[in-house]
Amino acid sequence: MSKGNEILFADDSSGYWAEIILPLALPTTYTYSVPKQFLERASSGCRVEVVFGKTKKYAGIIKSVFEKQPDYPTKPILNVLDDEPILYPQQLQLWSWLSQYYMCSEGEVMAAALPTHFKLSSETILIYNEEIGEDFTHLTDEEFLVAEALLLKKELRLTEVQQILDITHVYPLIKKLIDKKVCFVWEAMDEQYKVKKENYVILNPEYSNEEKLSELLNNWTRAPKQMELLLAYLHLQKTEGDVTQPELLKKSGASAAQLKGLAEKNILFIEKRTVDRIKSIPKNVEIDFEFNAAQQEASDGVTKAFKSKNVCLLHGITSSGKTQVYIKLIEKYFKEGKQVLYLLPEIALTTQIIRRLQKHFGGNITIYHSRFNNNERIELWNKIRTGEVKIVLGARSALFLPFKEIGLIIVDEEHDPSFKQQDPAPRYNARDAAIYYASLFKAKTLLGSATPSVESYFNAQQDKYALVELNERFGGIKLPEIEIIDTRQVAQKGKVMISPQLKEAMQKALDADRQVILFQNRRGYNPYLICGACGFIPQCTHCDVSLTLHKYSNKLHCHYCGSTYPKLVTCPACGNNNWLEKNFGTEKIEEQLEDDFATHKIARMDVDSVRGKTAHDNLIQLFEQHRLDILVGTQMVVKGLDFDKVSLVGILDADGLLAFADFRVNERAFQLMEQVSGRAGRKKEQGKVIIQATNVKHPILQLVQQHDYKQFYSLEIENRKQFFYPPYSRIVLLTLKHKDKNIVAAAAEKLAQFLKQDLKNFIVGPAAPVVNRIRNQYLMEILIKLPKEPGMSMKYKAAIRNHINLVTGEKIFKSVTVIADVDKM
């Protein structure tokens, strides 16, 4: 029922109520009554249709069903959308833990966890009020346009109203039309997922008898094209089994009309079938390799460790064969009937690894990541929920999949910061969440890395995790030789891009039919330009940051908000046209390489060059097949890729990696340089790495040169202890945002004062970050270092939430946004 613009409900409650999670950033869950007709189907993990507010409908998730009547009026559930739960209790427990630990709402977790087609919300539809008649003289011009369209069509969607008026903000006008009784509003909610159907061609069973079929073919007198089509069908059926209509028409060169003719003669039937969007391959298991002694020892060590510990850290140097250890372990759990989740930090890595794993596990393994379309994600979700798929390879979002009975989670490259979600909430670390998720199934977690995070290695040293080491490269190949080039000694104007020593080493590698990888952690052509006359630097109008010149677009780009600007010819400050290009990005390196190595094939790997769904995979395969000689890229080339013929790696600007104002700067620099070094000389011969730097005495460079992770850890852990940084504390970074600089500064000051009442010794700031304005929002930060006291974490976070609510509850600070980032990376 509806009254005006508000939906009213009949009371047919069953005496049960449900706690519902809505896919919105709401501070709590909401309670709805369960009507009698839905009581049997309304169970935890099912989606239900509910009204939130006056009219808006959403698909929420039932968290729990209970009998205790709340002491406030409740709306009823309108419909139960699922015949069986789409989630198991373990997923709901994970959502609850993530919301508490990472200081966000369960609605925000739900929005991140569920595929888009599961997260339904109603669409606003305007319905013409027939009683108003056709007299629109009392309406304004814009109201008249909409009313006239409603008179003709009787119903209009919100998007249609926007198109009619050519504006996006139409709610005020719609409200006026409702007030003037021209129309009323209905909220319609429809399922988005649609099964895929395909036409299959089937031979009439009468002709499955060879004599009947021979008689048909021998007595064929007319329609030779239909005869050719039938013969093509018989050939396809014999060689490939089931035959689809598009496949038959393509291979036979026939038309749909000719096929229709055979169907009308009852020789062939056309049957519509439901098909998977993702093609499956045979489900075979074939482990065709043997461990070397070091791998066997490591594998035995992991198996033994899992008898007493739930988490094991496998510290294996680059190219030591960790993936083969994972494969044997996956086989063990697969044979036990358990599901396995193999997490990688980025989609970039999944493309190469999936080919290796499919070789061993065939169709028993599937891949899950954000580049699948919404319908494909629903199909994979359901196959994992029913246990049809046993092994899943994916990036961090795969953690939210509804596993039925998981036995093992592998977190490869566990140190990688890409496991940490940045925006939007939940800002979770998939590595840490995976450990908790596995515990809900009493499953095991294996963390793997050549350069473990300081926190994980600390936990292993404290005996919280088991530690297994793999210190020998597969095949007995030595770790690459590392040479550090002092670019101050290079006689070259401006910043050195490719030193003579590196150029010579590249030529030598290429002459030997080897490949080269060059690493520079800056994309674009020039990271910034500066006027040679007055020193003016082009900056983004929405952010306090310099613009990067991109050659492919010939424009200046902001890497923070995505805005683009025309390339400047003259300086807007002084009119001079003498622009100095400072530093260099991957585009400029690629251009230089094309000049220096004109006869060789060169490619670039960064987010600008691999934008398509399969672009990254295609580039990796080209390099694997040695159809490219030189690959230049950002962090994408660092992470776990395995190329047989790479003998030389160049790190072009080590100083840039060591210059960040962050307590993790040394850890990140060591990990990046050691990881990119590990791409060299993985098969047959020792590789070489050349690092270009000006500060060649930096201790991190010396440790990278020696491949000495343990010494690096010893130095770093002392610094962390001295300055009370993780793993000795737990950090929460509060970022305040507002369009007014003075308001956000005042809010940050007040919040810091409130926080000091409970957390006096743990507060650092407030202070403006290095980039203190993004998308026209001014930023202030407060860093909180919380002690790791048992049972106190939730208490401290509750106090932080309370103080945030107190500040944002004040009228002047109501529009200030406060973002809490727990365990900031």
Side-chain angles (χ1 to χ4, degrees), residues 394-651:
R396 63 174 180 260
S397 59
L399 188 69
F400 292 117
L401 291 168
F403 289 95
K404 190 175 185 180
E405 195 175 9
I406 201 163
L408 174 69
I409 299 179
I410 296 168
V411 185
D412 197 12
E413 310 294 348
E414 66 83 28
H415 65 278
D416 199 297
S418 297
F419 276 124
K420 182 76 159 72
Q421 165 79 5
Q422 301 302 325
D423 281 307
R427 296 171 180 83
Y428 66 102
N429 189 316
R431 176 197 64 207
D432 300 338
I435 293 170
Y436 176 78
Y437 191 31
S439 73
L440 300 176
F441 292 89
K442 294 183 169 55
K444 305 297 182 184
T445 307
L446 180 63
L447 311 178
S449 178
T451 53
S453 65
V454 169
E455 288 90 337
S456 292
Y457 203 75
F458 177 81
N459 284 332
Q461 295 295 311
Q462 298 296 307
D463 204 34
K464 185 177 178 182
Y465 302 165
L467 175 63
V468 174
E469 296 183 323
L470 185 52
N471 295 321
E472 181 184 306
R473 271 191 150 192
F474 191 81
I477 306 295
K478 291 182 181 178
L479 283 165
E481 171 199 350
I482 296 181
E483 181 183 351
I484 299 173
I485 304 296
D486 187 346
T487 53
R488 292 172 301 176
Q489 306 299 319
V490 178
Q492 188 174 314
K493 187 180 178 182
K495 193 170 180 72
V496 175
M497 188 166 18
I498 300 174
S499 63
Q501 297 95 319
L502 177 56
K503 188 175 177 181
E504 183 184 338
M506 289 174 68
Q507 191 62 61
K508 187 177 177 182
L510 295 169
D511 289 345
D513 197 31
R514 292 287 181 261
Q515 292 170 295
V516 177
I517 289 177
L518 298 182
F519 168 61
Q520 167 66 342
N521 212 23
R522 286 180 183 272
R523 60 191 176 96
Y525 190 77
N526 287 114
Y528 68 97
L529 303 175
I530 185 168
C531 175
C534 72
F536 172 82
I537 298 174
Q539 289 204 313
C540 179
T541 56
H542 310 297
C543 312
D544 282 341
V545 68
S546 59
L547 297 170
T548 299
L549 176 63
H550 282 250
K551 189 185 174 188
Y552 81 92
S553 64
N554 200 32
K555 288 183 179 180
L556 296 167
H557 291 238
C558 175
H559 287 176
Y560 282 80
C561 71
S563 299
T564 59
Y565 303 83
K567 183 180 176 182
L568 295 175
V569 178
T570 58
C571 174
C574 70
N576 200 291
N577 60 3
N578 178 29
W579 291 105
L580 302 178
E581 298 176 346
K582 293 292 183 180
N583 217 320
F584 52 88
T586 49
E587 280 188 342
K588 191 170 185 178
I589 299 162
E590 184 183 28
E591 181 183 82
Q592 183 67 49
L593 291 171
E594 285 168 351
D595 288 340
D596 292 346
F597 300 96
T599 59
H600 294 279
K601 292 176 182 171
I602 298 154
R604 174 167 52 90
M605 187 190 288
D606 55 32
V607 293
D608 300 313
S609 64
V610 289
R611 290 185 178 274
K613 186 174 181 179
T614 60
H616 188 273
D617 191 24
N618 293 339
L619 184 55
I620 286 174
Q621 288 197 53
L622 286 173
F623 201 65
E624 277 180 331
Q625 294 160 9
H626 203 172
R627 290 159 67 186
L628 296 170
D629 301 309
I630 305 172
L631 183 63
V632 56
T634 56
Q635 289 187 42
M636 285 185 170
V637 302
V638 174
K639 301 177 178 183
L641 297 172
D642 188 2
F643 302 117
D644 290 356
K645 288 202 164 189
V646 173
S647 65
L648 177 68
V649 166
I651 299 172

